[in-house]
Amino acid sequence: MTSPPVLLVIAHGSRDPRHAATVHALVRRVRAVRPDVRVETGFLDFNVPSVQGVLESLETEGVRDVVALPLLLTRAFHAKADIPAVLADAPPRLRIRQAEVLGPSPLLLSALERRLYEAGLTSADKSSTGVVLASAGSSDPEAIAVIAEIAREWRHTGWCAVRPAFASASLPRTEDAVRELRELGCARVAVAPYVLAPGHLPDRIARGAERADVLADVLGPSPEVARVLLERYDEARTPVLAAAVGA
């Protein structure tokens, strides 16, 4: 039986050690869910192993099929430029397919709600609670539009109101969205970081949430994130398997 393609999770990397620790925790969860799939991790910057280093090791081992999955929530610069450039320099004997980014997905909304409930909210609080959907931010209009659409969609699930906010590159900031929800009359305000791992920008989100009633944790290695990751892997690997069958 042909082995499934190796799943290479590509993370951005950070000087903050919490970032890599969270990425590795998520990968461990993915491996536990799908023990039949080999899962490797590579970083674009700051951490090791590098994406290029992992690809070269896989080629040396004789691996041929790889699904490269960007550990990103939106299709911004890293997904559109950085990662394709790195993959273009991969050893030529590797057959690589780049999977789609994780978001948007209903499962990620479920993960956001999980984090809010873990922070102290209950489902009974939804109609009186305004939520700030706080993302890292981007200069890419497509990524900003996706965050705004997620906020609109989430509002329809019963929250008093949902406002997008950004830690960098775009406005409003988290603190501005918190203030807007207060002025709107929400009984309480919660901040839900739409980020995968701790680091500089999530810390900025936390500082902007000082006047909120609830600050949720980052998405991290939640089961919903692991499920989305594997969904994207399966979507990307299907053409690889079809080509193998037809070979």
Side-chain angles (χ1 to χ4, degrees):
M1 175 180 264
T2 304
S3 298
V6 171
L7 168 55
L8 173 58
V9 176
I10 300 179
H12 182 273
S14 171
R15 292 186 179 91
D16 190 322
R18 297 174 297 168
H19 173 89
T22 301
V23 170
H24 290 312
L26 174 60
V27 168
R28 286 195 297 272
R29 183 181 285 275
V30 171
R31 288 175 177 145
V33 174
R34 290 283 291 277
D36 60 308
V37 176
R38 178 176 175 181
V39 187
E40 299 292 341
T41 308
F43 295 90
L44 291 174
D45 207 352
F46 303 117
N47 303 104
V48 292
S50 68
V51 175
Q52 189 67 24
V54 174
L55 292 172
E56 290 173 357
S57 295
L58 291 174
E59 193 269 345
T60 299
E61 291 179 34
V63 170
R64 290 295 174 263
D65 290 315
V66 177
V67 169
L69 192 148
L71 197 59
L72 301 168
L73 294 171
T74 59
R75 270 183 49 80
F77 182 79
H78 293 306
K80 294 177 178 179
D82 282 354
I83 292 175
V86 172
L87 298 180
D89 288 333
R93 282 185 287 183
L94 289 177
R95 294 185 292 264
I96 303 175
R97 294 190 66 87
Q98 181 176 328
E100 291 295 329
V101 298
L102 301 182
S105 167
L107 284 169
L108 294 177
L109 286 181
S110 297
L112 287 166
E113 296 211 359
R114 170 193 289 275
R115 293 304 189 221
L116 286 171
Y117 296 152
E118 289 171 349
L121 293 178
T122 70
S123 57
D125 296 323
K126 291 186 73 168
S127 62
S128 58
T129 301
V131 179
V132 178
L133 179 69
S135 75
S138 173
S139 58
D140 188 304
E142 178 186 350
I144 297 304
V146 167
I147 299 299
E149 179 58 31
I150 291 170
R152 285 191 291 269
E153 180 182 340
W154 203 14
R155 164 68 181 84
H156 294 312
T157 66
W159 296 100
C160 174
V162 180
R163 294 290 186 273
F166 307 94
S168 68
S170 308
L171 295 174
R173 295 287 183 257
T174 301
E175 53 269 32
D176 299 325
V178 169
R179 183 171 56 252
E180 180 185 349
L181 290 171
R182 291 275 187 224
E183 294 171 352
L184 192 63
C186 297
R188 66 184 64 77
V189 176
V191 174
Y194 190 60
V195 292
L196 288 166
H200 173 66
L201 293 179
D203 284 349
R204 184 180 292 177
I205 290 171
R207 291 193 295 273
E210 287 178 353
R211 295 185 180 275
D213 301 294
V214 173
L215 171 62
D217 199 358
V218 298
L219 296 174
S222 65
E224 294 87 355
V225 174
R227 286 175 58 193
V228 176
L229 198 154
L230 286 167
E231 282 185 0
R232 298 292 181 257
Y233 167 75
D234 286 333
E235 291 164 0
R237 73 186 282 238
T238 301
V240 175
L241 298 181
V245 170

